[in-house]
Amino acid sequence: MLRITKHFLLLVLFSFLVTSCDKDEENPIEENEEELITTVKLTLTNKSNASETVTATWKDPEGDGSPIITGLTLKPGTTYDGRIEFLDESNPANVKDITDEIEKEGDAHEIFYTVTGAAMNVNKTDADNKGFPLGLTTTFTAATTSSGTLTITLKHKPDGLKQAGDDINVGSTDAEPVFPVSIQ
């Protein structure tokens, strides 16, 4: 009988410890649900001729790792205003625009533009509610005839991780499409 009582008491004690350690029920941590990004669309508008637009797209709606990519062809000596969109097109009947969520959670996101080979500069023109760069809107300046790639990296920097002047290595990567670029 004593042996059963010891086991019973240990079980009760264990149950008490497990339930008493779960204080997060009163203050649950708000989880940031990750969104599926199947499409990244970059639209550039010529600053001196607003009717001239260039679009680059990266689409992988099946998520099989074989995206369909349309690159950028820009004019040398031209400056463009840029706007980027992130979409979930995994269900064509219910396409989700994730761009607004990224903008609302701007203090936890940043978009980086890495140019390799092409004579082009990209500057972010928007900021989050704390004044830190966001990258949904940009200015592209195509200099001279050249070619290369543009890597667009969407970083997730939750819980105050985003700080002034931090780089592409801070946070986790939500999307990182690579676009061919031709300036001709």
Side-chain angles (χ1 to χ4, degrees), residues 65-82:
S66 56
I68 299 168
I69 302 169
T70 305
L72 286 174
T73 302
L74 305 176
K75 292 181 179 176
T78 306
T79 302
Y80 301 86
D81 288 323

Side-chain angles (χ1 to χ4, degrees), residues 44-127:
L44 303 181
T45 303
N46 187 331
K47 283 187 96 147
S48 31
N49 179 4
S51 65
E52 182 183 318
T53 60
V54 178
T55 303
T57 55
W58 180 97
K59 286 185 168 198
D60 189 9
E62 294 85 21
D64 60 2
S66 56
I68 299 168
I69 302 169
T70 305
L72 286 174
T73 302
L74 305 176
K75 292 181 179 176
T78 306
T79 302
Y80 301 86
D81 288 323
R83 173 81 183 155
I84 193 163
E85 298 171 272
F86 296 90
L87 307 169
D88 175 1
E89 297 182 321
S90 59
N91 179 357
N94 185 23
V95 173
K96 296 176 187 171
D97 187 345
I98 301 167
T99 313
D100 289 340
E101 183 178 325
I102 293 168
E103 189 168 18
K104 284 180 192 170
E105 298 174 359
D107 60 350
H109 291 92
E110 186 170 359
I111 303 156
F112 291 88
Y113 297 83
T114 306
V115 179
T116 304
M120 178 174 74
N121 290 322
V122 183
N123 293 308
K124 300 172 199 173
T125 57
D126 58 349

